[in-house]
């Protein structure tokens, strides 16, 4: 353990909570040793945290002699968070403990192109039902996490200038939860939420990561130096509409032409098969065909990986991530997709940037977005600063 510098300001209650939550200290004596606080200062901060219901004390039954020290632990059942990963045709919902574990989950299928006024009431109604089903209807809701395709305005809580979320731009989503909870609502891009889910489980394994979501559309989540990178307008990772020579003259759904998505996005693969007379309506159908051995579907998925890899090679050179994570619907045909992706990433990026690079699938599959949406809330409402604000300190 690291002994604090004598000149460091006294640890706050929020910082004490972070030590307990992260498992770095679980007794008052250890907290005093790590922070340098007096016994009375530790006691007052522990009492304040207990008043919020965030930590509990239990006697250590393993003591071998003398009075056993009370063990401090984070009470993950002190409240819940709600989360929804909103997609263009399917949304994943969940109720989570404060430790980020599922209590209940559900999937909502919707019409492509449905607007927020039609979909959000369904989302809020189903989340309320999940609260009831989980047995936590009376529990405190600390926050709601939402993720959406395309660029998200995290300050206003709405979609920002998205070419695919028609009818959603500029519509704040928090008001839809007014009758469900007064807790804060947080919004981010879907790929950002997915990479937060990976960070939750692999916090000690990587500080620099690039996650690509290959589904109907394309997007990326970027972690650099251990921090999620959103960019100045929240548009970091929106690489699907990068121009590529292979798509020259090909119309994109954004209204432009020559975009990577126009040849590598899931919607473009569906379009290609439909033009060949094949009965597919979503990229999930293309993936099912590829996995079952259909040669044309396999070619399309592999070529999508190749085209995406050509663009991502530049990002690998710029960011030098230690891991490239593949998520989204195409990840279900992982071996096929990554065969193409690996070919062009390793072929076009520098040898040094790819020397230690690993490529892997998302840890949570279809649930990455909703788990990441919950993680986004927990990172906010359980941060040391948020806890101190809740205590008025």
């Amino acid at each position: 353990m690291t002994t604090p510098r004598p000149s460091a300001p006294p640890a706050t209650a929020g910082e004490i909570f972070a030590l307990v939550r992260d498992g770095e200290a679980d007794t008052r004596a250890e907290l005093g040793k790590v922070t340098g606080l007096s016994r009375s200062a530790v006691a007052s901060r522990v009492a304040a945290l207990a008043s919020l219901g965030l930590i509990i004390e239990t006697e250590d039954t393993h003591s071998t002699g003398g009075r056993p020290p009370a063990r401090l632990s984070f009470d993950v059942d002190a409240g819940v968070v709600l989360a929804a990963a909103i997609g263009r045709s399917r949304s994943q919902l969940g109720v989570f403990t404060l430790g980020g574990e599922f209590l209940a989950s559900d999937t909502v299928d919707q019409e492509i192109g449905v607007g927020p006024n039609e979909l959000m009431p369904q989302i809020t109604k189903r989340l309320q039902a999940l609260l009831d089903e989980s047995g936590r209807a009376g529990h405190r809701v600390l926050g709601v996490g939402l993720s959406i395709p395309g660029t998200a305005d995290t300050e206003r809580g709405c979609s920002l200038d998205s070419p695919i979320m028609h009818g959603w731009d500029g519509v704040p989503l928090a008001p839809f939860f007014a009758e469900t909870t007064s807790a804060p609502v947080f919004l981010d891009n879907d790929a950002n939420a997915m990479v937060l889910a990976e960070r939750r489980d692999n916090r000690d394994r990587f500080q620099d990561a690039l996650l690509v979501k290959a589904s109907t559309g394309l997007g990326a989540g970027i972690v650099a130096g251990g921090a999620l990178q959103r960019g100045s307008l929240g548009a970091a990772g929106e690489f699907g509409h990068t121009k590529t020579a292979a798509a020259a003259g090909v119309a994109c759904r954004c209204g432009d032409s020559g975009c990577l998505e126009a040849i590598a996005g899931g919607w473009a693969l569906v379009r290609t098969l439909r033009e060949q007379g094949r009965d597919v309506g979503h990229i999930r159908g293309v993936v099912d065909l590829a996995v079952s051995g259909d040669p044309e579907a396999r070619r399309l998925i592999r070529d999508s990986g190749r085209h995406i890899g050509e663009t991502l090679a530049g990002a690998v050179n710029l960011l030098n991530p230690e891991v490239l994570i593949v998520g989204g619907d195409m990840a279900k045909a992982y071996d096929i997709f990554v065969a193409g992706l690996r070919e062009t990433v390793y072929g076009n990026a520098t040898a040094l940037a790819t020397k230690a690079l690993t490529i892997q699938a998302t840890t949570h599959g279809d649930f990455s977005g909703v788990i990441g949406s919950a993680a986004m809330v927990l990172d906010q409402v359980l941060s040391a600063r948020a806890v101190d604000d809740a205590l008025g300190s």
Side-chain angles (χ1 to χ4, degrees), residues 58-382:
T58 55
E59 285 193 0
D60 185 356
T61 59
H62 300 292
S63 178
T64 58
R67 183 178 180 181
R71 295 291 175 184
L72 302 169
S73 60
F74 170 36
D75 186 0
V76 297
D77 294 316
V80 297
V81 298
L82 311 179
I86 299 170
R88 295 191 70 241
S89 63
R90 177 177 293 176
S91 298
Q92 302 280 2
L93 315 180
V95 177
F96 294 80
T97 71
L98 300 189
E101 303 302 323
F102 267 116
L103 289 168
S105 64
D106 195 14
T107 300
V108 174
D109 291 314
Q110 69 236 22
E111 293 291 330
I112 293 178
V114 66
N117 291 330
E118 293 77 29
L119 180 60
M120 291 308 299
Q122 296 180 49
I123 297 291
T124 56
K125 182 178 180 180
R126 190 62 195 123
L127 281 172
Q128 182 60 60
L130 286 178
L131 263 177
D132 297 338
E133 292 170 16
S134 68
R136 305 297 177 96
H139 281 55
R140 179 173 46 154
V141 177
L142 269 68
V144 180
L146 304 175
S147 62
I148 58 173
T151 304
D153 185 328
T154 58
E155 294 296 323
R156 293 192 298 153
C158 61
S159 176
L160 175 65
D161 194 28
S162 173
I164 60 173
M165 296 295 284
H166 301 296
W168 291 72
D169 282 353
V171 179
L173 301 183
F176 288 102
F177 291 88
E179 295 183 7
T180 303
T181 178
S182 60
V185 178
F186 303 94
L187 175 73
D188 210 334
N189 161 266
D190 52 2
N192 286 348
M194 291 170 67
V195 82
L196 286 177
E198 298 300 313
R199 278 281 292 154
R200 188 195 75 158
D201 293 332
N202 300 286
R203 200 171 295 270
D204 297 329
R205 288 181 53 198
F206 62 71
Q207 294 294 305
D208 298 275
L210 182 61
L211 179 144
V212 55
K213 181 184 180 184
S215 287
T216 297
L218 305 174
I222 304 166
V223 171
L228 177 66
Q229 305 298 315
R230 293 186 173 90
S232 64
L233 296 176
E238 293 292 339
F239 75 98
H241 298 282
T242 301
K243 296 296 184 289
T244 179
V250 181
C252 182
R253 61 178 177 167
C254 71
D256 205 343
S257 64
C259 302
L260 176 64
E261 264 199 20
I263 56 172
W267 65 269
L269 276 57
V270 169
R271 177 186 61 188
T272 298
L273 283 183
R274 290 180 68 86
E275 288 174 349
Q276 296 175 7
R278 309 290 292 277
D279 184 19
V280 291
H282 193 275
I283 183 56
R284 289 188 292 270
V286 181
V287 169
D288 289 342
L289 287 171
V291 171
S292 66
D294 183 278
E296 180 63 5
R298 291 174 68 87
R299 181 189 69 80
L300 289 172
I301 295 288
R302 181 176 177 125
D303 283 352
S304 174
R306 288 179 59 252
H307 293 307
I308 290 171
E310 288 175 350
T311 297
L312 288 185
V316 169
N317 283 343
L318 285 170
L319 300 171
N320 187 206
E322 53 200 292
V323 60
L324 175 55
I325 305 164
V326 178
D329 289 318
M330 290 193 220
K332 294 177 183 177
Y334 180 83
D335 289 342
I336 304 168
F337 179 81
V338 170
L341 181 75
R342 186 183 300 275
E343 174 188 336
T344 50
V345 165
Y346 283 88
N348 294 342
T350 66
L352 182 59
T354 57
K355 181 178 180 180
L357 179 69
T358 61
I359 300 177
Q360 64 188 51
T362 52
T363 305
H364 302 288
D366 285 345
F367 294 102
S368 287
V370 68
I371 290 173
S373 297
M376 170 175 58
V377 176
L378 295 171
D379 285 348
Q380 294 283 343
V381 302
L382 296 181

